[in-house]
Amino acid sequence: MKPHFFDRSALSRQLWNFRREFLWVGIFSMIANILMLTPTIYMLQLYGRVMKSGSEWTLIFVTIFLLIFFAVMAFAEWLRSRILVRAGVRIDEALNSLVFKASFEAYLNRARHNVTESFTDLTSIRQFLTANGIIAFFDTPWTPVYIGVIFLLSPFLGWLSILFAIIQLAITWQTHRLSVKEIERAAESGNESFRYVQSKLRNIEPVHAMGMTCNLRQQWSSLHDVSLIKADDSLERQHRQQAFAKFVRYSMQSMTLGAGALMVIEGKLSAGSMIAANVLMSKALQPLDLIVATWKPFVQARTAYQRLEKLLEDFPEREAGAKHQDPFGEVRIEELTATAEGRETPILDNLTVMFPAGKVTVVLGPSGSGKSTLARCIIGVWSNRKGRVLIDGEPVESWDRAELGPHLGYLPQDIELFDGTIAENIARFTEIDSAKVIEAAKRTGIHEMILRFPKGYDTPIGDAGGMLSGGQRQRLGLARALYGNPAILVLDEPNANLDDAGERSLLEAVKDMRASGKTVILVTHRPSVLAVADFLAVMQQGRIMHCGARDEVLAALRAQSTKPA
């Protein structure tokens, strides 16, 4: 039965799966720490037996055993390190998919989330679990064993060792109490400065064109200066604490040696026992000193753990949706209300509407009427909503996204292309089917344009399609939406950046989709696309004011406009 602690979160459960590896690390740490007593035993044999007997053979045999034990100890430490390194790789493999999906969900739900920070947190946890910090954790329990051996040599030195160990523990606790908040504040301040720069780089062109760089640099400089001050204060305090801890440790070792020398003078202890007790004291305090030295990585790993734990708790891995037959294409919305964080009035207010399969429905309305939010709700990427969005009578969230995706084409208002070739972007980065890629390109009228590029369909488009014009990106995004002849096509302002030729290609593509029995939902504020509409929905302030056959709705709108005020 698993302890309750490891049932707290997905992150805890994943780390609990590696308990066997850490058990073996503990076993090899036990072997290494037991064999750490070898120099003490060797020293006692030299002073207590070899030097008294004067036997060279005894010296040879004792030395051979010493070398054998050292070899076993080194082998155990090597195995311990090897297990930790391999466990670190496997921990990353087990968690990176969860972190990627949770970060994706957080970004999709418009949470304030830095994807880069999540993977940095994962790296911090992995590095701490495979570095000196975790080794100190396994070595610290052996401090009482070393002190116990000192007691066998001299009870007085044993009690003195306990006193020194308590002092070292007090220093460790004081280090935690004084530094943990400063380390966390310094890390958060640095992350805030990084996030500020990252957010501005997304809009680098207008920033540069309108001379905003200096103003933004001043704001960033203020954040950066604060982070530097906090980091400097944190590091200065840590260095003072480490220097003080080192002073105390060296002083206690020397005092142990001095106390042993006094007992030798008084005839209460042999010279070999004096040196052995000093070596044991050094071994007993070494893990505690290592904990002080690695406190910053520990605090960073703990903070990273807490952040990842919250991320995985807020955005758990989605269960695979139910298997369905290929969608026919009917989309129905029932009592749909969509909201956004920080906004009092809903973006969509209790909408109920049906988009018939195999027809073209144009959603018309002014900017800010909720058209784009409606499009996102239809494809299932808007989280803050109530009501139901049904595809062929089944809630959109019940579909397995990997299953539904190929049957769904979506062109967002802000075109997002990815670093790769033209063919890869059209094929949605799946295995490229050349015939389908060319078919999608021809339906949007960009086939000839693509062939004029240096490498044709194998031409890299750069990050976010930087080498393409706005119209080219929009038509390439439309080709991606059409790839595979999906059953449902949702187009959000598809003609926003198109010239006359591009708009003609768009209308021809929509007609072609309708002729093949596909459902097209076209969101726009331009009435020029009404010629291809079968149905028309008119939105205003988050509500559908008119909905029905195109000609009937247009007649109602004309009648409404001719009424006297």
Side-chain angles (χ1 to χ4, degrees):
M1 184 176 178
K2 294 180 182 179
H4 177 69
F5 172 81
F6 292 100
D7 291 331
R8 291 191 310 165
S9 66
L11 183 56
S12 300
R13 290 193 297 270
Q14 288 295 330
L15 294 179
W16 177 248
N17 291 333
F18 293 89
R19 59 190 181 278
R20 182 174 300 175
E21 284 81 353
F22 288 107
L23 175 62
W24 278 109
V25 170
I27 291 173
F28 287 123
S29 295
M30 177 186 69
I31 295 173
N33 277 279
I34 290 175
L35 293 178
M36 283 284 187
L37 298 172
T38 301
T40 302
I41 298 173
Y42 182 71
M43 202 173 304
L44 292 174
Q45 292 299 315
L46 288 182
Y47 282 94
R49 178 171 299 180
V50 174
M51 296 183 69
K52 287 183 179 179
S53 66
S55 172
E56 295 180 355
W57 283 107
T58 302
L59 175 62
I60 292 173
F61 280 116
V62 169
T63 304
I64 290 174
F65 279 111
L66 171 77
L67 296 176
I68 292 174
F69 288 153
F70 276 168
V72 174
M73 182 180 67
F75 184 66
E77 290 183 340
W78 174 76
L79 284 178
R80 177 176 66 177
S81 300
R82 183 179 177 86
I83 291 173
L84 284 174
V85 170
R86 293 198 169 188
V89 173
R90 290 184 56 213
I91 288 172
D92 191 283
E93 291 174 347
L95 290 174
N96 59 28
S97 179
L98 288 175
V99 173
F100 178 87
K101 291 177 181 178
S103 298
F104 183 88
E105 291 287 339
Y107 206 81
L108 184 65
N109 286 274
R110 293 161 182 78
R112 289 192 61 189
H113 177 68
N114 187 335
V115 177
T116 305
E117 185 179 73
S118 294
F119 286 97
T120 302
D121 288 342
L122 179 57
T123 301
S124 297
I125 294 173
R126 187 192 72 236
Q127 289 178 343
F128 177 77
L129 291 177
T130 57
N132 290 334
I134 197 68
I135 291 177
F137 171 81
F138 283 103
D139 287 347
T140 300
W142 290 92
T143 293
V145 175
Y146 296 138
I147 294 177
V149 176
I150 295 175
F151 262 100
L152 295 177
L153 298 175
S154 168
F156 173 75
L157 293 181
W159 287 112
L160 189 64
S161 300
I162 290 177
L163 174 64
F164 290 163
I166 292 174
I167 293 174
Q168 194 80 351
L169 285 172
I171 292 174
T172 303
W173 169 248
Q174 187 73 355
T175 297
H176 167 73
R177 193 179 67 83
L178 296 178
S179 65
V180 61
K181 294 297 182 184
E182 282 195 358
I183 294 174
E184 290 175 350
R185 284 195 293 266
E188 179 57 31
S189 182
N191 289 334
E192 185 178 356
S193 172
F194 174 75
R195 285 194 295 266
Y196 182 86
V197 174
Q198 188 180 42
S199 66
K200 300 305 175 284
L201 289 176
R202 298 193 189 104
N203 301 284
I204 189 63
E205 293 180 359
V207 167
H208 178 70
M210 294 185 286
M212 299 166 61
T213 305
C214 291
N215 297 331
L216 294 177
R217 189 196 66 81
Q218 290 175 359
Q219 294 185 20
W220 169 80
S221 181
S222 299
L223 293 173
H224 186 61
D225 289 345
V226 171
S227 70
L228 284 179
I229 292 173
K230 290 182 178 179
D232 183 65
D233 291 343
S234 176
L235 286 173
E236 184 179 354
R237 181 181 292 275
Q238 290 174 58
H239 290 159
R240 287 201 308 267
Q241 291 167 342
Q242 290 176 11
F244 179 71
K246 186 176 291 186
F247 161 76
V248 172
R249 180 187 171 194
Y250 288 160
S251 298
M252 290 188 298
Q253 289 177 6
S254 298
M255 291 173 65
T256 302
L257 187 62
L262 179 62
M263 296 183 69
V264 171
I265 292 173
E266 295 177 350
K268 298 179 180 178
L269 192 71
S270 67
S273 297
M274 175 193 71
I275 298 174
N278 186 258
V279 172
L280 287 172
M281 184 65 183
S282 175
K283 294 296 183 184
L285 298 182
Q286 185 176 2
L288 301 178
D289 193 53
L290 186 59
I291 288 176
V292 175
T294 59
W295 198 255
K296 181 178 179 180
F298 165 73
V299 173
Q300 291 174 335
R302 190 189 69 168
T303 304
Y305 179 92
Q306 292 170 345
R307 277 197 297 257
L308 282 187
E309 187 175 45
K310 186 176 187 308
L311 174 67
L312 296 178
E313 180 182 353
D314 292 342
F315 301 97
E317 188 174 18
R318 290 188 181 185
E319 294 183 3
K323 295 295 183 180
H324 298 282
Q325 294 181 350
D326 292 351
F328 180 61
E330 181 188 83
V331 178
R332 190 166 72 250
I333 292 174
E334 297 178 352
E335 299 178 349
L336 177 65
T337 297
T339 59
E341 186 177 353
R343 174 171 170 152
E344 295 181 1
T345 58
I347 303 173
L348 301 178
D349 189 5
N350 199 31
L351 301 187
T352 297
V353 65
M354 199 241 327
F355 301 99
K359 302 295 182 181
V360 177
T361 301
V362 172
V363 180
L364 195 64
S367 298
S369 60
K371 304 185 305 298
S372 294
T373 303
L374 175 60
R376 294 184 179 120
C377 288
I378 291 172
I379 64 172
V381 298
W382 192 271
S383 59
N384 296 327
R385 63 177 175 85
K386 297 179 181 178
R388 300 205 302 169
V389 177
L390 307 172
I391 295 179
D392 291 355
E394 299 291 339
V396 65
E397 59 270 12
S398 73
W399 290 73
D400 184 272
R401 183 55 60 172
E403 178 192 17
L404 178 62
H407 301 288
L408 190 66
Y410 175 53
L411 179 67
Q413 189 171 356
D414 297 322
I415 308 299
E416 294 288 348
L417 300 176
F418 306 100
D419 190 11
T421 66
I422 291 175
E424 287 173 333
N425 273 272
I426 293 177
R428 308 181 182 187
F429 285 86
T430 60
E431 185 177 351
I432 297 175
D433 187 322
S434 300
K436 290 182 179 180
V437 169
I438 294 172
E439 178 188 5
K442 286 183 176 179
R443 294 171 80 176
T444 54
I446 60 173
H447 175 66
E448 298 299 330
M449 178 195 76
I450 294 173
L451 294 180
R452 289 195 293 270
F453 283 117
K455 297 182 180 179
Y457 282 90
D458 293 326
T459 301
I461 65 172
D463 188 23
M467 64 161 286
L468 303 175
S469 68
Q472 288 173 330
R473 285 199 297 270
Q474 193 145 34
R475 295 172 78 177
L476 186 56
L478 178 60
R480 179 180 63 188
L482 293 172
Y483 179 78
N485 204 25
I488 301 171
L489 189 66
V490 181
L491 308 177
D492 188 2
E493 300 288 359
N495 52 352
N497 297 311
L498 298 183
D499 54 17
D500 292 339
E503 189 155 354
R504 285 195 299 270
S505 297
L506 168 66
L507 297 180
E508 289 298 323
V510 171
K511 291 178 182 178
D512 187 35
M513 290 290 288
R514 177 176 57 189
S516 59
K518 309 303 180 181
T519 303
V520 181
I521 301 172
L522 199 157
V523 174
T524 184
H525 66 278
R526 295 184 179 182
S528 57
V529 298
L530 293 178
V532 298
D534 298 309
F535 292 87
L536 180 61
V538 180
M539 292 191 66
Q540 188 173 357
Q541 295 181 351
R543 297 183 178 181
I544 294 180
M545 310 306 294
H546 300 277
C547 184
R550 179 194 61 185
D551 294 338
E552 293 177 2
V553 173
L554 290 177
L557 291 174
R558 284 192 293 266
Q560 183 178 349
S561 64
T562 56
K563 288 183 180 180

